[in-house]
Amino acid sequence: MLTVHHLNNSRSQRVLWLLEELGVPYELVRYQRQPDMRAPKELRAIHPLGKSPVITDNGNTIAESGAIIEYLIGTYGNGRLIPPPNTPERLRYTYWLHYAEGSAMQPLLLKLLFTLMPKRAPALLRPLVRKVSNQALTALVNPQLKQHMDYWEGELGKSEWFAGSEFTAADIQMSFPLEAAQARGGLEQGHPKAMAFLDRIHARPAYTRALEKGGPYQVGR
């Protein structure tokens, strides 16, 4: 049976959601983050990098959210949650599927990093680290993040979902950046269409079922 190696409060929540949307049976193996928020070493027995998400199925071990989504859609989707080939919607689908981790998450991760650095710095160095972090956030990270959020807002003004008028796995992939931006990037300020997108995905029954199985989920906090 397909097995999801699920780390709490992580990107693997999207994999559970996709499987619930497809109605594919799976086994859930849970892993708990350590106090420093890192994944436990037990995950390295599944994949050398010891990170989540990762699935095992029919002798295959597959990591990386985009690769997992492509595998699950190709193996179990039967044409669902993906636009038809050779259509503008399919091209948009492919773009957003890769953009989510390739571009969108970079400023969000930097935002988290520069926010945490002053809190974790030694007391004597904290004022200096805070000054450097604030400068990086103001001059580099926050403008980039706003550019991405404005981009999402504009694209969601063209269609209800990222790939077009129909909900697809690209929306599942894009959920994590938007949820992270809501948690720590100020998405709620001036981006009503992006916030409406989050309301729509959170109202989906499969999203709720995935939360019930995966456990508490507070991205970006």
Side-chain angles (χ1 to χ4, degrees):
M1 175 180 284
L2 188 153
T3 300
V4 180
H5 298 272
H6 175 65
L7 179 66
N8 70 300
N9 224 24
S10 76
R11 288 164 167 83
S12 63
Q13 190 66 40
R14 288 183 298 195
V15 177
L16 301 184
W17 177 19
L18 175 58
L19 290 168
E20 291 295 330
E21 291 281 359
L22 294 174
V24 176
Y26 59 94
E27 179 183 0
L28 184 64
V29 179
R30 297 176 180 272
Y31 300 83
Q32 196 71 19
R33 290 186 182 274
Q34 301 176 98
D36 61 3
M37 296 305 292
R38 294 182 182 179
K41 61 182 181 181
E42 287 80 6
L43 263 175
R44 293 180 188 169
I46 309 302
H47 189 277
L49 293 181
K51 295 184 178 181
S52 183
V54 60
I55 67 171
T56 52
D57 187 40
N58 294 323
N60 300 306
T61 299
I62 306 164
E64 294 294 337
S65 301
I68 291 171
I69 288 176
E70 288 199 44
Y71 174 82
L72 293 176
I73 291 294
T75 305
Y76 298 104
N78 295 318
R80 294 172 294 167
L81 300 185
I82 184 171
N86 303 315
T87 61
E89 291 78 12
R90 181 63 165 265
L91 185 58
R92 290 181 65 184
Y93 169 91
T94 301
Y95 171 77
W96 291 111
L97 196 66
H98 293 279
Y99 162 89
E101 293 292 335
S103 295
M105 284 306 300
Q106 293 180 23
L108 288 160
L109 290 172
L110 288 173
K111 176 89 171 182
L112 179 62
L113 175 64
F114 285 116
T115 301
L116 291 178
M117 279 174 58
K119 301 175 183 178
R120 298 185 177 182
L124 289 175
L125 295 177
R126 201 164 295 153
L128 176 61
V129 174
R130 182 178 293 110
K131 181 179 179 180
V132 172
S133 296
N134 287 340
Q135 288 176 341
L137 286 169
T138 300
L140 176 65
V141 178
N142 289 340
Q144 284 190 19
L145 183 53
K146 184 179 185 304
Q147 185 179 24
H148 281 276
M149 293 190 297
D150 291 347
Y151 177 44
W152 306 336
E153 186 72 10
E155 292 300 303
L156 288 170
K158 300 175 183 177
S159 59
E160 186 176 14
W161 302 105
F162 276 101
S165 60
E166 300 293 328
F167 174 79
T168 70
D171 298 298
I172 294 176
Q173 180 78 325
M174 280 297 297
S175 66
F176 195 88
L178 268 73
E179 287 176 330
Q182 180 187 26
R184 59 175 178 261
L187 183 67
E188 70 281 359
Q189 299 172 12
H191 303 96
K193 292 181 175 61
M195 294 299 294
F197 169 87
L198 289 178
D199 289 340
R200 289 195 298 275
I201 65 171
H202 294 161
R204 295 184 71 87
Y207 185 96
T208 301
R209 292 196 301 271
L211 278 182
E212 292 170 351
K213 293 184 178 180
Y217 176 61
Q218 292 183 311
V219 62
R221 293 179 173 86

